[in-house]
Amino acid sequence: MVQPADAQEEKEVAKAAKAAKIAPRPMDHLRPVVHCQTVKYNTKLRKGRGFTLDELKEAGITKKYARTVGIAVDHRRKNRCVESLQTNVQRLKEYKSKLIVFPRKPGKVAAGEASAEEVAVATQLKTELMPIAKSVTEFEARAITDEEKQFRAYGKLRLERMNARQKGARDRKAREAEAEKK
């Protein structure tokens, strides 16, 4: 996006101020990997609004706790396939393993909280939080076979379409012919 230099500088200053204010927390929430909508784009992956309750349950995280540790939750989203559920559960588990939870009370370390050494090592992540890896499928070139050259795709589609349309009438004729034989 092309902006005047002043506006761009203002944005950068505001972003740096926000990062300093919320430090050492990351700049953004962890978001799930979802497929884009429509036939044209559904092969592409993008970030979704939030994790489903099922994904959180599989990862062993409660809805209330997830919101406190920077995980976006969307109670309206549904899992429509097992693959995307497993992908997002794996994403949650990976995030959980990297997460450093600071102790609420200094000196007292509760279960699940980081030790003093881990807290000292912690730094703020200013880049994108667990970016989605773009997968590129490469195809190998090959020669077209004679069978593929002879195949008439349009004719085959028309034939199958006509067979589907005539199925009911052909079944009825077959039943009538069978009834006449008896």
Side-chain angles (χ1 to χ4, degrees):
M1 185 164 93
V2 179
Q3 294 180 334
D6 307 356
Q8 203 165 2
E9 276 181 35
E10 281 179 31
K11 262 177 115 172
E12 286 174 14
V13 168
K15 194 173 183 181
K18 182 186 175 187
K21 183 181 171 187
I22 66 167
R25 289 180 285 168
M27 288 289 291
D28 195 21
H29 293 295
L30 177 69
R31 302 205 179 267
V33 176
V34 295
H35 286 271
C36 296
Q37 293 180 343
T38 73
V39 174
K40 184 176 180 181
Y41 297 107
N42 68 9
T43 55
K44 296 192 184 308
L45 297 173
R46 65 173 177 85
K47 284 185 175 181
R49 180 175 172 80
F51 290 92
T52 64
L53 301 177
D54 289 335
E55 289 166 350
L56 292 169
K57 193 175 185 180
E58 288 274 324
I61 302 170
T62 62
K63 177 173 71 169
K64 193 174 179 182
Y65 179 72
R67 289 196 169 114
T68 64
V69 292
I71 298 172
V73 179
D74 186 5
H75 63 88
R76 297 164 298 191
R77 210 178 115 237
K78 294 185 181 87
N79 289 108
R80 289 181 170 80
C81 69
V82 179
E83 290 85 9
S84 66
L85 174 87
Q86 292 303 322
T87 304
N88 285 322
V89 167
Q90 196 60 42
R91 192 169 164 84
L92 281 166
K93 286 180 179 175
E94 186 181 341
Y95 178 75
K96 199 174 168 185
S97 69
K98 292 179 181 179
L99 188 67
I100 299 173
V101 181
F102 281 43
R104 285 176 177 237
K105 296 179 183 175
K108 275 191 174 179
V109 179
E113 293 179 340
S115 64
E117 300 87 44
E118 289 175 321
V119 170
V121 178
T123 56
Q124 185 181 26
L125 180 70
K126 292 179 180 162
T127 58
E128 191 178 354
L129 186 63
M130 290 178 67
I132 298 166
K134 301 274 189 256
S135 61
V136 179
T137 310
E138 289 191 22
F139 297 99
E140 212 169 292
R142 63 177 180 82
I144 299 170
T145 63
D146 289 333
E147 187 181 318
E148 289 171 341
K149 285 180 184 176
Q150 298 300 320
F151 183 69
R152 300 282 175 247
Y154 183 74
K156 177 71 173 169
L157 286 171
R158 295 297 301 174
L159 179 70
E160 291 303 320
R161 185 167 183 254
M162 192 50 64
N163 286 340
R165 284 186 66 189
Q166 297 293 327
K167 185 173 180 6
R170 289 175 181 162
D171 289 348
R172 191 185 74 237
K173 276 186 182 177
R175 279 196 305 269
E176 288 173 1
E178 201 173 298
E180 283 182 19
K181 282 185 182 178
K182 290 182 183 180

